[in-house]
Amino acid sequence: MNQQLVPKIAVIIATYKREESLIKVLHALRIQTRRPDIVVIADASEESTLEKVIHTVSMNIRLLRSQTPSLTVQKNLALQYLEDNWDGDFVQVLDDDTFPEENYLEI
């Protein structure tokens, strides 16, 4: 029997006090034809607000925090987290105002 391996994809979303936009991005990822693993990394947002956002979209999301207000630092921290804790194949980095089409993650 020839089984085709399906690559695992992770999506990193760095955000900064843009909860409404983040909800839209997460909803767009929820309807993907391929479900990614999602890492949201944030700085200077209230923790309770981000937890509400993640709860609202009903998805399995890993929330990370950055003490440094830098998009580059956030993305690097998320990449390091995935390198240490994830066994997937591809990583896609999205901004918190990027709304992908439903087949965006097809390979």
Side-chain angles (χ1 to χ4, degrees):
M1 184 173 182
N2 183 10
Q3 287 189 345
Q4 197 173 24
L5 295 177
V6 178
K8 285 181 66 177
I9 301 170
V11 174
I12 294 171
I13 306 166
T15 190
Y16 174 75
K17 294 186 177 184
R18 294 176 65 173
E19 289 82 10
E20 292 299 318
S21 183
L22 179 60
I23 289 172
K24 291 177 185 177
V25 175
L26 293 173
H27 279 296
L29 290 172
R30 187 172 62 187
I31 64 167
Q32 289 296 302
T33 53
R34 297 177 57 92
R35 282 285 179 96
D37 295 321
I38 301 173
V39 176
V40 172
I41 184 158
D43 70 73
S45 297
E46 290 187 28
E47 190 164 342
S48 61
T49 303
L50 284 174
E51 287 175 0
K52 283 182 192 176
V53 166
I54 289 172
H55 180 72
T56 299
V57 295
S58 301
M59 297 173 71
N60 185 19
I61 299 168
R62 177 68 176 144
L63 177 60
L64 303 177
R65 294 271 176 201
S66 171
Q67 299 303 316
T68 306
S70 164
L71 193 58
T72 303
V73 169
Q74 286 179 305
K75 291 175 182 178
N76 284 334
L77 287 171
L79 285 168
Q80 186 64 54
Y81 170 81
L82 288 172
E83 184 177 330
D84 295 342
N85 300 286
W86 185 68
D87 65 345
D89 303 296
F90 298 100
V91 177
Q92 175 67 50
V93 179
L94 295 178
D95 291 330
D96 60 4
D97 61 354
T98 303
F99 312 113
E101 298 290 328
E102 70 182 37
N103 63 348
Y104 178 73
L105 296 174
E106 289 297 319
I107 297 176

